[in-house]
Amino acid sequence: MRYRCAVMAPELSSPRIFLLPEVVVNQIAAGEVVERPASVVKELLENALDAGARSVRVDLEEGGVKLVRVTDDGCGMGREDLELAFASHATSKLRGVDDLEHIASLGFRGEALASIGSVARCRIFSRQPGDDVGWQVECEGGRVSEVREAGGAFGTVVEVRDLFFNTPARRRFLKRERTELGRALDWLQRLSLAHEGVAVVGTHGAKRVYDVEADMDLRARIRRTFDAELADALVPVAAEDGDTRLEGYVAPPRFARRDTGRQMWFLNGRFLRDKVLIRCLRDAYHGFLDGPLHPVAFLSLAMDPARVDVNVHPTKSEVRFRDDRRLFGFLRNALAEAVRQTDAATPGGRLLSSLERRGEWRPPAGSAPRLPDPGSSRDPLVVREVAGKPLELPPIEDAPARAPGQGVDPWEARDELAGPYVVVDKTYIARATPDGLEVVDQHALHERVTFEELRRELSEQRLEVQRYLVPELVEVDRADVALASDHTELLAGIGIDVAVFGPTTLAVHGLPARLPRPDAQALVEGALAALRERGEAPTLADLLEDVLHRTACRSSVMAGDELGESEIRALLERASAIEHDQTCPHGRPTRVRFTLADLERAFHRR
Ligand code: ADP
Ligand code: MG
């Protein structure tokens, strides 16, 4: 991380810990830092990282209540440092008020060790690289011992035993061991994900519960921490705006969850739960994610510490950006770009898994559901059917022989979009793909195609408008008439040609030609609502996007339309030409695919 460890460099001469002057103390957003073992783990780990450690070990007992011990190989502390380590507002990371303007370290308030020391039995051993001896100090319920000479490896060991031994009231708030351990491990994982280059080991009792090696990159760390299916599906993000740098990964929409547990933002190595960043990411998934689910992403922001105020919240998990408008525009665009590149397909195997979870389907005994199965290489299915006709049993054909090694990679194989197509309920188109079976929702797909084509026309400045001989009249309220008349040019820019007709009436003279069944009322209302919501002058692309999100369904209706074979093919071809065709603009899937492996599972063949 570019801005890490700038303050506490090992070459600083000792003693380096100072008591903060009172004026600084009063300006610090102080708060309770020790709530549970997880807070101890977080604070001690952050200290180790601030000390430039390359290798950190965290040992826990009884969920961390009995023991949290963090061992690092960082810059260590000298004798005078240890004398001050447990004092309130004693820190090496901040000197004066001005330093609050550019905090590059994870800690800076000098409160953590003091708070921990007041509610536990603590011991610090530390030895600075190159020194012949190390030093040790104890603190029990706030009583600090003499500093004594002691032997040990370079770096620091901080041991925290019997948390809340002297405050039984707080001890009663602790949850079961498993819960406390889970929260402690959350911090271990978050900070490990945020700090490539640092090896982290976690143990609980005699068991090793977590480890990442120093040379593992973020994707490898995610694979180790969560699972391989997620890690493999991630799409990288890397963008720069001035000296602000965004890096990390976004996951395909299908990984979205009800909780935000797998949505991580790191700012200069600090884990954040910042509402604004969460909102940015949500915006980026707009149109790809349905309902109240939270996208999964691991994102790291590096910027000049002077451009962000981290001193606004006691847990430091919320911050204030100094130039937020520009930052959010930059983030939203970079993220949306990456989200569009994720594989948003809905694998049929996933549907099977969710049926399984609901108890409506059981996999054959002994089969381990793993999806999709990249190892499956079979001949293409042969389905004989003509669109719209009742389904008959397909004649059996000899599959063509395949040369050895000529496997078909699911999803990747060349798809000729060939029929025959089977249309069910005038809505769902089923057809064979090189590796299985695909069912398309023609309505949803058409909606997405229309949406993307309109966007492309707009960006290439060739948006076609269908003009009406007789304008269509739309009733709105007075305020909206005024709003429309203030923004006629903007609206015309996205193909909505309106003029004021009466105190509560607008005349629509033209609409985008792309829309097969433009609903003038819905489009105008959508556009006005978008204008109201955006407030400031939106860009044409943003406005179009908002309007389409609101009205795409009605204006590009196709469900129920009977499509002939050539129309189906044309729709599939148009879809294959656009960048993102796996969900409709509202985030519902446009297609569901069953690989051969899925079908085999469904029929208990494996
Ligand atoms: P802060 O991190 O806000 O400065 P802490 O109470 O967490 O406050 O730590 C106080 C000081 O102790 C730090 O500023 C740092 O100088 C020193 N320190 C704590 N842990 C370590 C460590 N693992 N290695 C080196 N120095 C440490
Ligand atoms: Mg600290």
Side-chain angles (χ1 to χ4, degrees):
M1 195 68 43
R2 197 183 300 177
Y3 291 102
R4 262 195 57 221
C5 296
V7 177
M8 190 159 175
E11 62 271 16
L12 281 177
S13 58
S14 65
R16 298 155 304 158
I17 301 185
F18 289 93
L19 283 170
L20 286 172
E22 194 167 319
V23 54
V24 183
V25 169
N26 295 337
Q27 290 192 14
I28 286 178
E32 193 54 71
V33 288
V34 197
E35 244 185 321
R36 49 182 9 107
S39 359
V40 176
V41 169
K42 167 184 180 277
E43 294 296 336
L44 299 189
L45 256 175
E46 288 190 343
N47 281 347
L49 292 164
D50 276 345
R54 299 285 97 190
S55 169
V56 188
R57 180 187 169 108
V58 178
D59 299 303
L60 305 169
E61 278 171 30
E62 293 179 14
V65 180
K66 179 125 194 290
L67 171 74
V68 176
R69 178 173 49 227
V70 176
T71 309
D72 70 57
D73 63 351
C75 63
M77 287 172 273
R79 183 193 178 119
E80 288 88 344
D81 293 326
L82 281 191
E83 271 162 8
L84 276 178
F86 284 111
S88 283
H89 307 300
T91 180
S92 58
K93 303 169 194 176
L94 191 63
R95 295 285 147 87
V97 175
D98 293 348
D99 294 337
L100 278 174
E101 302 281 311
H102 47 83
I103 292 166
S105 50
L106 298 170
F108 56 87
R109 296 186 182 126
E111 279 185 308
L113 289 179
S115 315
I116 296 169
S118 67
V119 292
R121 300 189 170 100
C122 307
R123 183 181 75 96
I124 302 178
F125 164 82
S126 198
R127 180 172 164 207
Q128 294 181 306
D131 280 3
D132 293 339
V133 290
W135 303 94
Q136 171 168 311
V137 66
E138 278 122 46
C139 177
E140 192 172 312
R143 283 203 323 277
V144 186
S145 75
E146 293 282 291
V147 175
R148 280 177 288 117
E149 204 178 296
F154 296 128
T156 303
V157 185
V158 183
E159 226 172 61
V160 177
R161 291 183 185 275
D162 305 323
L163 186 63
F164 302 145
F165 77 98
N166 56 351
T167 47
R170 281 160 86 182
R171 205 177 171 118
R172 274 197 291 279
F173 277 104
L174 295 178
K175 302 271 191 296
R176 281 177 311 167
E177 177 176 314
R178 260 212 356 247
T179 313
E180 295 300 340
L181 175 65
R183 294 188 188 189
L185 286 179
D186 281 346
W187 274 110
L188 198 64
Q189 296 175 352
R190 285 169 191 157
L191 288 166
S192 306
L193 292 174
H195 294 268
E196 285 179 27
V198 181
V200 182
V201 171
T203 71
H204 186 237
K207 280 210 221 65
R208 185 176 274 233
V209 287
Y210 186 72
D211 65 354
V212 291
E213 287 104 63
D215 62 359
M216 285 167 74
D217 63 8
L218 178 58
R219 198 193 284 267
R221 283 167 191 246
I222 293 169
R223 177 176 287 113
R224 178 69 61 84
T225 310
F226 302 113
D227 62 80
E229 194 197 345
L230 170 63
D232 292 339
L234 294 171
V235 168
V237 189
E240 249 169 7
D241 179 31
D243 66 355
T244 304
R245 187 161 171 75
L246 172 69
E247 259 178 69
Y249 293 100
V250 295
R254 67 173 189 275
F255 287 94
R257 301 157 61 91
R258 273 177 216 289
D259 59 90
T260 51
R262 291 194 190 171
Q263 184 178 120
M264 302 193 188
W265 278 98
F266 305 107
L267 171 67
N268 295 342
R270 181 193 304 284
F271 173 82
L272 291 186
R273 262 258 174 277
D274 189 81
K275 284 198 273 306
V276 189
L277 295 179
I278 291 174
R279 173 82 205 271
C280 262
L281 191 64
R282 239 210 122 63
D283 274 12
Y285 275 87
H286 192 42
F288 298 99
L289 201 58
D290 205 8
L293 297 178
H294 299 282
V296 170
F298 305 89
L299 297 160
S300 187
L301 254 182
M303 60 167 71
D304 181 347
R307 294 191 39 217
V308 50
D309 188 357
V310 292
N311 184 31
V312 293
H313 195 267
T315 64
K316 301 177 243 168
S317 62
E318 273 176 50
V319 297
R320 201 176 293 127
F321 297 102
R322 302 205 209 273
D323 184 8
D324 53 3
R325 268 182 105 107
R326 174 167 177 168
L327 177 69
F328 304 143
F330 158 66
L331 292 180
R332 212 188 75 149
N333 290 342
L335 291 169
E337 176 75 36
V339 170
R340 299 171 68 79
Q341 285 165 27
T342 60
D343 172 12
T346 301
R350 233 182 145 77
L351 295 189
L352 295 183
S353 304
S354 68
L355 289 180
E356 205 179 311
R357 272 198 299 279
R358 296 207 303 264
E360 289 164 24
W361 181 81
R362 238 159 17 95
S367 80
R370 268 274 141 242
L371 307 160
D373 176 7
S376 114
S377 59
R378 289 296 199 84
D379 299 313
L381 289 187
V382 181
V383 177
R384 301 220 160 260
E385 197 47 62
V386 177
K389 293 215 186 127
L391 185 67
E392 288 166 16
L393 275 183
I396 296 163
E397 268 205 7
D398 285 340
R402 181 190 298 280
Q406 192 189 341
V408 175
D409 204 7
W411 321 99
E412 294 300 324
R414 198 172 151 70
D415 186 348
E416 307 283 353
L417 307 175
Y421 313 111
V422 178
V423 182
V424 180
D425 200 25
K426 296 185 193 164
T427 304
Y428 306 103
I429 306 165
R431 70 179 181 97
T433 56
D435 66 312
L437 166 72
E438 173 181 86
V439 183
V440 169
D441 176 333
Q442 67 177 51
H443 165 54
L445 184 62
H446 190 264
E447 220 182 294
R448 170 57 78 177
V449 168
T450 307
F451 186 86
E452 294 294 326
E453 287 174 348
L454 267 170
R455 274 165 49 127
R456 192 185 306 162
E457 283 181 12
L458 185 73
S459 74
E460 291 168 6
Q461 302 189 329
R462 52 177 185 83
L463 191 100
E464 255 179 75
V465 177
Q466 169 82 54
R467 284 185 205 286
Y468 302 136
L469 284 175
V470 182
E472 202 166 317
L473 299 184
V474 167
E475 288 296 314
V476 294
D477 58 34
R478 279 165 191 277
D480 279 346
V481 169
L483 187 66
S485 97
D486 286 347
H487 292 95
T488 43
E489 237 172 83
L490 201 60
L491 292 169
I494 59 165
I496 300 179
D497 191 351
V498 288
V500 176
F501 192 79
T504 61
T505 313
L506 293 171
V508 181
H509 292 280
L511 289 172
R514 269 279 160 221
L515 300 174
R517 289 180 191 169
D519 176 342
Q521 180 89 33
L523 283 165
V524 168
E525 278 172 5
L528 292 171
L531 281 175
R532 260 189 319 251
E533 218 165 79
R534 289 244 169 215
E536 83 279 17
T539 67
L540 287 181
D542 284 345
L543 186 60
L544 179 71
E545 187 136 358
D546 285 358
V547 174
L548 292 176
H549 273 297
R550 284 165 200 277
T551 54
C553 269
R554 266 176 288 177
S555 289
S556 64
V557 160
M558 274 194 66
D561 286 355
E562 275 190 66
L563 300 186
E565 212 169 331
S566 58
E567 288 163 296
I568 293 177
R569 193 179 170 95
L571 176 63
L572 295 176
E573 270 165 8
R574 279 164 72 193
S576 69
I578 62 177
E579 201 187 335
H580 178 93
D581 72 333
Q582 302 292 351
T583 62
C584 83
H586 307 92
R588 289 187 296 277
T590 58
R591 28 177 120 219
V592 173
R593 287 172 176 172
F594 294 88
T595 61
L596 279 176
D598 296 335
L599 295 172
E600 285 165 356
R601 271 180 69 211
F603 289 102
H604 296 206
R605 283 176 179 275
R606 41 152 68 198

